[in-house]
């Protein structure tokens, strides 16, 4: 219990200290490192203890004081939102905030006899989430220390508010811990709102016009989800007298008349995990410094959305609320993977790929079957590490070369081999057999087939094909070997490098050990919520074959070296119709002049561009979400 | 267990022999269709041996490794298939092999091979949905992704339940066999606007490896065609071989009849074919079961 309190409170305390450390120096750096170590140690202690004792534990029934503190906190947040809303003349956010805080306050203060209920719950999914937040989240904080120094060296036009920035990162971690440990709906909502506000502040960090616009975009979408959350809480409290998430899910499972709070909570989850039509805020979030994007995309924020959906999944199985979630999730997976094809900005491709993967997790949660949720949880784990790795390496490349455009990463393997190698691991982990994500995609495919949802299968097969396309062309850019190319100075700092290497290492370890994680964490959790066991979703025979593939990839370079030993290949210049200009980078054009060669990837704006696809898909998904919500709520009333 | 290892070993040994003869007959039949005499059916073997004895001209030192990766994983794919492995895993391994091949072209930093690489990638994107649907179709019909179980599933061949998926697979087979109208990234014919596309920068013994991989790949793909008609009866094997040969003949015919199309047409038509033949078939399967 103490360790849970520590995990929730310590990041907030660290944030308070950090916000006061305005001096850019060693003290702050070491304070951040020490806090990160403390968090990781606490997370590891908590996970091992929870695993050894192996029980789900619930705590805290009498929480009057804490409830009051939270209510005050909610009013403070509302005041903050109103302040920003008026300052930047975005009155609608103030309105949204007042509406939801008012609802919650009315419910809390109108009182009535409160049921005895637990407020803190720790089960296996909590451990998974804790490990993601604690390990990946803190690694991002460590990376941020070195990155932000370079960021402000490159961007002198922005005000240096690093103290605030680091403080916000820790607030975020604290709020996420609070969110995953809470079982009481009002508590979850409180932390949920903190993450919304926090992401708003982080996205607007550099105060450029674009940043402010995008941060308000993020704020209103998340507040809209928050409003849904608030209504769900009030409904379940007043109508059903249920204040715990677990209880709500178990009660509502299989009862269509109790779907109203479920569908509202699912709606909140969809906004937070940036599903269409709410994908805009996550795309806009890339104006912020890279650690923010990494944090929002991998360890926190969007994971809160899918976390909630996974918790809801038993109540989504086989009803219209589930159809809503799977349709939106599957559609988002498909459309955003098409859209990613047309992007050349590295961070934007990553953003679309995040939304796309979240779509898949969402669809898995919506199916609500044992094996689908298994795939969803595993996807979440793999995605957290590989996406954070990708963002951080793109950030490091940007600091070293001044560009994050994929076209400019041509020949990175020659220019910055270490970073390119890290990136290759990240990309391979994203879509390639036998690495991480593919295993879960495979399981998802099986689950979709078993759940007989033809629409999902269509989304999945076409979406996978386009996923393959945009990752492979990125990979192709990295591996281009340019002759006589200079190595660039690698400006990656020690802290950034530590973070990158640890994550790459974690990625590989997770690829090899995922069956263990599945047996001890995911399966017991699923057993608890579905009260059944299913035979191994990916059989041990197939896992062995995949390990064999992994070994083959590792051995291949050595084996090829041995096989071709003593054989001499003649190195020549690449073929340009005999018109090379002394190297492989320029040629003689038809006027006899020297022309530089430029090799570009295909982006096919006319087919997959945002101009072409974005608006129709937003319209379609909005229509789907509105219509399905009306049907669900109408059917339940 | 032993039987599956044996058939995997047989594939590794006999695969290239069968693939070579297929290529030989392909050239002969194509020649006859064009009113030529054509080379001996053994010609592909002569070509391959000659290539193996030639020094390779490379533009960098990783091409060698990447092409070996392609060969190794194609052989792995086929071996896993003939050993009765999981069909989806087989297809994933094939994708991995394809990516090794594309990377070898990308690494060359050459205009023609990099153009070929982008086109090859486009081809992969075009055929991938159909390939996955084939796996899903078999699972819907037989209740298993395992090739071994699919063969022993019953006395009615899978094609009876999934004719649409079969047609869709024949469609994408033209892409996989690098046959016109879909031979965009590289081709055997001598009218390529971008030299040899994907394989422009590969030569000598490295090119021989690519050729060998294609033979392995073709035999594996025909194995998938055969899977559509295999049942637990002994004579279904003979029918399977006949169907494979006939399918191959159809691909040769298409190769000689249709001119090469643009990538836009390939992507659109293949995805539409996938949707019409594959998805509709799948819907009916889901519906009737």
């Amino acid at each position: 219990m103490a360790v849970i309190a520590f995990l929730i409170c310590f990041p907030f305390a660290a944030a308070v200290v950090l916000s006061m450390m305005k001096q850019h120096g060693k003290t702050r750096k070491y304070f951040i490192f020490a806090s990160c170590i403390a968090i990781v140690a606490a997370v590891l202690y908590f996970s091992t203890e929870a695993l050894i004792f192996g029980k789900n534990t619930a705590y805290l029934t009498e929480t009057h004081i804490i409830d009051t503190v939270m209510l005050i906190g909610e009013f403070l947040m509302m005041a903050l939102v109103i302040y920003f809303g008026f300052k930047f003349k975005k009155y609608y956010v103030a309105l949204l905030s007042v509406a939801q805080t008012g609802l919650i306050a009315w419910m809390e203060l109108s009182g009535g006899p409160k049921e005895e209920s637990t407020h803190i719950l720790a089960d296996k999914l909590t451990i998974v989430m804790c490990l993601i937040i604690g390990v990946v989240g803190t690694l991002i904080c460590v990376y941020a220390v070195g990155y932000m120094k370079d960021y402000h060296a490159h961007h002198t036009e922005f005000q240096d508010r690093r103290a605030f920035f680091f403080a916000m990162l820790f607030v975020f971690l604290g709020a996420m811990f609070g969110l995953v440990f809470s079982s009481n709906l009002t508590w979850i909502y409180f932390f949920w709102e903190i993450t919304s506000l926090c992401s708003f502040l982080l996205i607007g960090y550099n105060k450029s016009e674009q940043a402010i616009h995008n941060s308000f975009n993020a704020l209103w979408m998340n507040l809209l989800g928050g409003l849904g959350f608030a209504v769900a809480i009030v409904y379940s409290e007043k109508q059903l007298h249920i204040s715990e998430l677990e209880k709500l899910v178990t009660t509502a499972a299989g009862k269509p008349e109790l779907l109203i709070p479920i569908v509202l909570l699912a709606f909140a989850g969809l906004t937070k995990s940036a599903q269409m039509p709410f994908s805009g805020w996550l795309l806009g979030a890339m104006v912020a410094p890279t650690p923010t994007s990494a944090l929002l995309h991998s360890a926190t924020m969007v994971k809160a959305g899918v976390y909630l959906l996974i918790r809801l999944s038993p109540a989504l199985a086989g009803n219209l609320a589930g159809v809503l979630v799977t349709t939106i999730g599957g559609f988002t997976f498909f459309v955003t993977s098409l859209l990613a094809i047309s992007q050349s900005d590295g961070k934007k491709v990553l953003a679309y790929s995040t939304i796309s993967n979240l779509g898949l997790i969402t669809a898995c949660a919506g199916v609500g079957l044992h094996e689908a949720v298994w795939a969803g949880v595993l996807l979440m784990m793999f995605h957290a590490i590989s996406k954070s790795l990708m963002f951080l390496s793109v950030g490091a490349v940007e600091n070293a070369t001044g560009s994050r455009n994929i076209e400019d990463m041509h020949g990175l393997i020659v220019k910055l081999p270490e970073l390119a190698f890290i990136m290759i691991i990240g990309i391979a982990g994203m879509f390639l057999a036998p690495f991480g994500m593919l295993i879960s995609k495979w399981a998802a495919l099986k689950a979709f087939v078993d759940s007989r949802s033809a629409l999902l299968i269509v989304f999945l097969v076409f979406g996978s094909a386009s996923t393959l396309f945009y990752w492979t062309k990125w990979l192709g850019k990295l591996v281009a070997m340019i002759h006589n190319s200079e190595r660039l100075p690698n400006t990656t700092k020690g802290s950034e490098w530590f973070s990158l290497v640890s994550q790459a290492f974690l990625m590989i370890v997770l690829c090899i050990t995922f069956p263990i994680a599945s047996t001890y964490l995911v399966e017991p959790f699923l057993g608890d919520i579905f009260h059944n066991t299913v035979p191994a979703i990916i059989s041990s025979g197939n896992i062995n074959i995949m390990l064999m593939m992994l070994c083959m990839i590792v051995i291949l370079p050595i084996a090829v070296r041995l096989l071709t030993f003593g054989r001499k290949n003649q190195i020549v210049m690449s073929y340009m119709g005999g018109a090379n200009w002394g190297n492989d980078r320029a040629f003689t054009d038809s006027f006899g002049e020297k022309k530089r060669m430029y090799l570009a990837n295909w982006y096919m704006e006319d087919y997959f561009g945002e101009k072409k696809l974005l608006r129709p898909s937003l319209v379609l998904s909005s229509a789907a979400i509105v219509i399905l919500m009306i049907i669900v709520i109408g059917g339940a009333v | 267990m032993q039987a599956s290892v044996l058939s995997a070993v047989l594939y590794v040994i006999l695969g290239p022999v069968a693939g070579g003869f297929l290529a030989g007959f392909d050239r002969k039949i194509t020649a006859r269709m064009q009113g030529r005499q054509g080379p001996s059916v053994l010609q592909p073997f002569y070509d391959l041996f000659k290539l193996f004895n030639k020094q390779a001209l490379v533009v960098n030192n990783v091409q060698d490794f990447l092409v070996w990766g392609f060969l190794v994983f194609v052989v792995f794919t086929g071996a896993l298939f003939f050993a009765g492995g999981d069909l989806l895993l087989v297809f994933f391994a094939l994708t991995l092999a394809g990516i090794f091949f594309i990377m070898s072209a990308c690494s060359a930093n050459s205009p023609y091979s990099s153009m070929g690489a982008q086109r090859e990638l486009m081809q992969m994107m075009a055929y991938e949905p159909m390939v996955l649907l084939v796996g899903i179709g078999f699972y819907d019909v037989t209740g298993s992704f395992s090739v071994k179980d699919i063969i022993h599933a019953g006395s009615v061949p899978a094609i009876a339940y999934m004719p649409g998926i079969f047609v869709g697979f024949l469609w994408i087979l033209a892409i996989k066999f690098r046959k016109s109208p879909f031979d965009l990234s590289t081709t055997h014919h001598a009218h390529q606007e971008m030299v040899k596309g994907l394989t422009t920068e590969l030569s000598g013994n490295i090119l021989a490896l690519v050729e060998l991989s294609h033979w392995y790949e073709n035999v594996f793909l025909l194995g998938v065609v055969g899977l559509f008609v295999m049942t637990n009866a002994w004579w279904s094997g003979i029918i399977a071989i006949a169907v494979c040969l006939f399918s191959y003949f159809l691909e040769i015919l298409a190769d000689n009849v249709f001119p090469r199309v643009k990538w836009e047409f390939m992507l659109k038509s293949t995805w539409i074919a996938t949707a019409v033949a594959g998805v509709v078939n799948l819907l009916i399967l889901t519906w009737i079961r």
Side-chain angles (χ1 to χ4, degrees), chain A residues 366-388:
Chain A
V367 169
L369 294 178
H370 189 121
E371 45 185 341
V373 182
W374 183 88
V377 176
L378 245 77
L379 262 175
M380 195 165 73
M381 290 159 64
F382 281 122
H383 179 254
I385 299 184
S386 51
K387 193 44 73 58
S388 153

Side-chain angles (χ1 to χ4, degrees), chain A residues 1-54:
Chain A
M1 179 62 211
V3 69
I4 296 178
F6 175 82
L7 276 175
I8 301 175
C9 301
F10 176 75
F12 286 107
V16 172
V17 178
L18 275 170
S19 67
M20 288 185 282
M21 290 174 123
K22 304 275 184 202
Q23 224 86 47
H24 310 310
K26 288 228 158 67
T27 335
R28 182 167 69 192
K29 186 164 134 189
Y30 290 121
F31 180 77
I32 293 177
F33 291 165
S35 312
C36 289
I37 292 171
I39 293 175
V40 172
V43 163
L44 292 180
Y45 172 73
F46 164 74
S47 324
T48 31
E49 201 197 2
L51 270 178
I52 290 167
F53 290 113

